[in-house]
Amino acid sequence: MKSLRDSLDKSLNVDIALDFDNFDLRCQFRFDLEGITGILGHSGSGKTSLLRVIAGLNQDAKADVILNGRTLQNRNKFIKPEQRKIGFVFQDARLFPHLTVLGNLNYAYKRCKPNHLDLDEIIHLTQIDALLNRDVLKLSAGEKQRVAIARALLAEPELLLMDEPLSNLDNRARGNMVQLLRNIHQRLNLPILYVSHNIIEIQQLADDVMVMENGRIIQHGHVHQVLNNLHERITSEISSPTSLTLTVKQHLVNFGLTQLDFMAPHNNQVKLFAPLMNASLGQALRCYILADDLSLSLVKPEASSIINCFCGTVTQLHRLSRNGMMVKVQVMDHTFTINTSRYAVELLRLALGTEVYIQFQADAIRCF
């Protein structure tokens, strides 16, 4: 399958000023479009407004938008949305109700000439082979989104924007869609800007993350770096997991466990055990651990049923509520986030620099 990035130098340059009655969007950034960039933030933080300006869906914005060296918008120029070579997948799919699934696909396919992508390959890639003759009004939420993604891809965009595309799906369907989106990105080498307020979706999908608050970008960096050090204004409402990339060391099939290692150069220094996983030896897995699944001890447990335990240093203490505390613990190059009580912090006399032991069960390590 042909890559959508062939011979293109991918970059996005944006400078936006947009005023609403009770909100203003001010964003200025330039970065290379590599992989999937997640955009995280509370509802009303400006995530969707940012995507709409990039796509050309808000002409009121004072904006400079340059995609791959091509100016899409400035004070003297405005390229129409359909001419920007930007795909957009919305939360509600927005399929044409009077057309079948195949009719929706053909609409996009016929409008993009010459075609570099094969229609049948896109149908197979998005797993909609059995849906082609179906009425779109009779599709499930997940099926509608797969059709919407296929239609967006058939327009052969240079950039794909996705606005909360999985918010209407249950956990199982969401997990399947995350894997599908990974496959699409890998097969087509297509850069994606992915908006969500679901931190686990962002953690499982994104290579880089931008965090928005009150119309401003307050953080931007690698997914592990950002999520493991999420800004305090975000963590007050969004519980941040510990984000890790781990490699498969061995499978202990008789015990239903998989042993995982940190990535080099810290592999083999700490043993981590997770529930048995369907993954190859040496495979890198994007994993997360919820802050409520971790506990702390001042002494190393010598005889315990909790099989994951290693030493670290307290680097941050942050009060979440009247009785709740968030503790950051550094383990080699990795930052772990633990939610605990104020009582526990005082009982253990935790302070910056305190050496502690992190403990958690095998099933605390999760992948979608």
Side-chain angles (χ1 to χ4, degrees), residues 75-86:
R75 65 175 63 185
N76 300 316
K77 185 175 185 180
F78 184 87
I79 301 297
K80 295 180 181 180
E82 62 271 20
Q83 298 174 347
R84 294 196 173 200
K85 296 185 180 180
I86 294 177

Side-chain angles (χ1 to χ4, degrees), residues 21 51 93 115 126 129 152-153 164 178 181 190 208 211 233 276 298 314 328 359:
D21 290 340
L51 291 195
N115 301 110
T126 51
D129 310 65
L153 295 177
E164 303 274 7
V178 164
L181 291 174
L190 174 65
D208 293 322
V211 180
R233 298 207 300 268
L276 191 64
L298 293 179
V314 175
K328 298 278 189 180
Q359 305 174 94

